[in-house]
Amino acid sequence: SGAPQLRQVVVVLDASSYMEPYWASLYESCVYPALSFLDLPRSKPDAPFRTEYAMVFFFDHAPYGDRLLRTNNFTPKLPVLDAWSRNVMFEGGGYAQNAVTEGISAA
């Protein structure tokens, strides 16, 4: 059957302070269940693919934020992505359109 194909999943997150009140609920109710579903084949030795996860955080330009993007490398371990997701440092304020574009481009 050959080697399993690689599937890469990137979570792109608005990590400005505007998203902070909503992230925990959104992550628990939507994002984590979807990622867990994607991770199910890992327990099957004959799975046709393997999954790697990464995160891209976008913030905002000064004066509303100190940086525009932060990225994490790909990891094959869902618990690592889970730790990143549960420990987001939200910062900055505005919602700049170019920050969104650059976040998606980095993904």
Side-chain angles (χ1 to χ4, degrees), residues 22-84:
Y22 311 104
W23 177 241
S25 175
L26 178 65
Y27 181 72
E28 288 294 327
S29 63
C30 298
V31 178
Y32 188 75
L35 294 173
S36 296
F37 177 78
L38 293 173
D39 203 50
L40 285 177
R42 184 175 307 281
S43 61
K44 299 177 183 174
D46 60 340
F49 51 83
R50 61 185 179 88
T51 306
E52 291 183 345
Y53 307 94
M55 286 192 82
V56 173
F57 306 90
F58 65 89
F59 300 91
D60 203 352
H61 288 288
Y64 303 109
D66 293 335
R67 56 186 162 176
L68 188 59
L69 295 172
R70 189 180 88 220
T71 61
N72 290 358
N73 293 327
F74 280 98
T75 178
K77 299 177 181 175
L78 184 56
V80 172
L81 181 86
D82 185 54
W84 294 338

